[in-house]
Amino acid sequence: MPEEEKASVKAGIKEGLEGLKGRIPGLLDIQVHAEKRLETSTADLMLDSSFESFEALKSYSKNPAHVAVADSKVRPFTAARSCLDFELPSVF
């Protein structure tokens, strides 16, 4: 894929996923990192999202708004996917 087209795809993914903030219950923050990627990277972008609970994360994956973005902007352009989910200790 030409670099100009790749940049457009990444921008669409970023806009679509970050546009879910405030629309999905339990989704606290969502950011797509695609710029300033080091040449040692093995991926083109990273999704960094946080949820109020594990149940909210599971619900997000099935939410129609998320599925629509994933089906239209992410999956058609994804050759490989890695996922790291973890729970942070409570600060309270």
Side-chain angles (χ1 to χ4, degrees):
M1 174 182 302
E3 285 303 314
E4 186 174 295
E5 185 178 350
K6 186 184 263 190
S8 176
V9 166
K10 290 194 298 186
I13 291 171
K14 181 175 178 68
E15 178 184 349
L17 289 173
E18 289 182 355
L20 296 173
K21 188 171 182 179
R23 297 178 51 207
I24 297 181
L27 175 61
L28 300 175
D29 194 26
I30 187 164
Q31 297 177 20
V32 174
H33 303 280
E35 301 79 26
K36 299 181 183 174
R37 183 175 70 93
L38 299 177
E39 62 188 41
T40 53
S41 298
T42 59
D44 289 317
L45 57 82
M46 180 188 85
L47 172 62
D48 182 7
S49 53
S50 56
F51 299 85
E52 65 184 26
S53 66
F54 180 62
E55 291 72 27
L57 168 63
K58 291 190 297 186
S59 178
Y60 163 82
S61 68
K62 299 174 200 166
N63 184 286
H66 169 254
V67 171
V69 171
D71 285 347
S72 65
K73 296 184 179 290
V74 181
R75 290 187 183 104
F77 305 102
T78 302
R81 177 182 179 270
S82 295
C83 180
L84 173 62
D85 293 329
F86 58 93
E87 188 173 1
L88 296 174
S90 177
V91 294
F92 300 104

